[in-house]
Amino acid sequence: MLNFDADYGEEEESSVELPENHAHKGIASELMRKHDQIMAALPNSYLKRPGTDVELLKLAGFSTVTVDFQVSDRVYREIDEFYNPVRMFKLCAKK
């Protein structure tokens, strides 16, 4: 199994200047407050990823679980309209 994801629960306002047409640029503060409220209400939003993912996959019977923390470096070589300031990771799990 391959899963490409990021720990969006740890997302903070990025110090990276995003292009004007970026999807996350200019999100209203009220919308961000709503986002934070929803995240706080989710029972698992406090779990640290991908560490929790690794534990759960092993509990589910996967024998080998590896994490690649360098995905963002390879996918986002430049800051453009597709850039994601939240660091991505790849999980690879084998049964």
Side-chain angles (χ1 to χ4, degrees), residues 15-74:
S15 62
V16 175
E17 184 61 32
L18 298 174
E20 283 302 317
N21 59 344
H22 191 276
H24 294 168
K25 182 83 172 190
I27 293 177
S29 58
E30 178 61 27
L31 186 57
M32 285 308 296
R33 277 195 293 280
K34 286 242 186 244
H35 168 269
D36 293 341
Q37 289 171 344
I38 291 169
M39 290 301 294
L42 295 173
N44 294 330
S45 64
Y46 64 90
L47 299 175
K48 188 73 177 146
R49 299 188 66 214
T52 302
D53 300 73
V54 171
E55 291 174 26
L56 292 172
L57 288 166
K58 287 182 178 179
L59 282 173
F62 287 88
S63 59
T64 305
V65 182
T66 58
V67 181
D68 176 356
F69 290 100
Q70 305 306 316
V71 173
S72 289
D73 296 335
R74 293 190 303 276

Side-chain angles (χ1 to χ4, degrees), residues 28 54 78 85 88:
V54 171
E78 61 185 68
M88 293 179 63

Side-chain angles (χ1 to χ4, degrees), residues 81-94:
E81 64 270 22
F82 302 107
Y83 179 76
N84 183 352
V86 181
R87 300 285 300 166
M88 293 179 63
F89 56 84
K90 175 185 78 174
L91 288 165
C92 178
K94 297 179 186 177

Side-chain angles (χ1 to χ4, degrees), residues 4-19:
F4 294 85
D5 209 339
D7 192 353
Y8 293 103
E10 291 290 317
E11 183 176 12
E12 295 178 8
E13 189 170 326
S14 174
S15 62
V16 175
E17 184 61 32
L18 298 174

